[in-house]
Amino acid sequence: MSNLGFRVLPLKTRPDKALIERLSGVATPLISDNMNRLHGTSSTLRPIHKKAKLLGTAFTVKTRAGDNLLVHKAIDLAEPGDVIVVDAGGDTTQAIIGEIMMRLSKKKGIKGFVIDGTIRDSAAFKEADYPCFAKGVTHRGPYKEGPGEINVPVTVGNMIVHPGDIIVGDEDGLLSIPLDYAEEIIDRAITQLKNEKEIFKTIEAGTINRDWIDETLTKKGCTLL
């Protein structure tokens, strides 16, 4: 009998590494645009680290607020290239991870953390430039009692994440690409990136065409004097 709410499940499907690597030079706004700007976190989750990009496979954890027992188990189970995504209910009372867990994860090749909650030892994350998105920082440590679940759908910063989704984070924010649609979304984002680079060239050359603004205003019934 399954103990719903206190389970450790395997991550059955991971995206191809080559597919993930295609996103290495693509900023989150371009990816967001190609998911209709709905599949990303709110601005409540911000980078604790400096400039490193977060990119990898979602290894999800759902835990009771202020408790990190299942997060410790996730670190032991996650594989190189994974991102540990923790739904801690958005509670900011206790930190979910700190420097010891960060060092363990970095040594294992885990790409980083997403914590819908808080962390501590923030200076260590900044010094190592180890990717971590969280709601904030507190000195108060966690409990280790459970319950919780590993590799179930979770919600972080109003964003739903399924195990195996592709996690992308940078200075502009954090998003999750559903695995079933990843290839199509990545293709569109890369195409948009190429188009924007061409726009940059026309700006520098002074040849950019801005007729679309008046055309749009006219279509919407705006009076142009």
Side-chain angles (χ1 to χ4, degrees):
M1 180 177 178
S2 178
N3 189 7
L4 189 65
F6 210 170
R7 303 175 299 170
V8 175
L9 305 175
L11 179 52
K12 296 180 179 180
T13 304
R14 286 179 168 85
D16 188 88
K17 291 181 180 179
L19 185 64
I20 296 175
E21 283 303 312
R22 293 183 65 201
L23 289 164
S24 60
V26 183
T28 55
L30 298 179
I31 303 167
S32 178
D33 284 353
N34 287 281
M35 296 193 292
N36 287 294
R37 301 160 187 166
L38 289 177
H39 286 267
T41 61
S42 63
S43 59
T44 57
L45 292 183
R46 300 303 303 163
I48 304 298
H49 55 289
K50 294 179 181 178
K51 293 184 178 181
K53 185 166 185 173
L54 178 58
L55 183 59
T57 302
F59 194 96
T60 65
V61 182
K62 187 174 181 65
T63 186
R64 181 167 63 93
D67 192 287
N68 74 355
L69 177 62
L70 272 293
V71 184
H72 276 281
K73 183 61 177 176
I75 292 172
D76 288 346
L77 293 177
E79 297 182 3
D82 288 346
V83 174
I84 296 179
V85 180
V86 183
D87 179 354
D91 182 77
T92 57
T93 307
Q94 260 83 29
I96 296 298
I97 61 171
E99 183 174 4
I100 290 175
M101 298 172 80
M102 180 272 285
R103 287 177 176 269
L104 280 169
S105 300
K106 186 177 180 182
K107 181 68 174 178
K108 285 198 64 178
I110 295 168
K111 291 296 185 178
F113 284 94
V114 175
I115 309 290
D116 196 2
T118 55
I119 73 158
R120 66 179 183 177
D121 304 323
S122 59
F125 284 85
K126 293 175 183 176
E127 183 178 350
D129 204 16
Y130 187 72
C132 178
F133 284 75
K135 290 188 73 173
V137 175
T138 180
H139 57 82
R140 297 179 64 168
Y143 300 101
K144 297 172 175 60
E145 302 291 339
E149 296 184 298
I150 290 177
N151 287 320
V152 297
V154 298
T155 302
V156 291
N158 300 324
M159 176 178 72
I160 297 173
V161 181
H162 290 85
D165 285 354
I166 299 176
I167 300 296
V168 189
D170 58 22
E171 296 88 345
D172 287 315
L174 182 74
L175 49 78
S176 176
I177 304 175
L179 185 54
D180 289 344
Y181 305 96
E183 191 163 357
E184 179 183 358
I185 291 167
I186 292 169
D187 284 343
R188 291 179 179 179
I190 291 174
T191 297
Q192 185 174 337
L193 174 62
K194 293 176 181 177
N195 291 340
E196 287 200 355
K197 287 182 178 179
E198 291 302 314
I199 292 172
F200 298 157
K201 291 178 182 178
T202 64
I203 290 173
E204 291 303 313
T207 59
I208 188 169
N209 187 329
R210 303 282 283 169
D211 290 345
W212 69 268
I213 300 172
D214 285 351
E215 290 171 358
T216 302
L217 291 170
T218 300
K219 286 180 181 179
K220 291 182 175 292
C222 179
T223 300
L224 300 176
L225 300 178

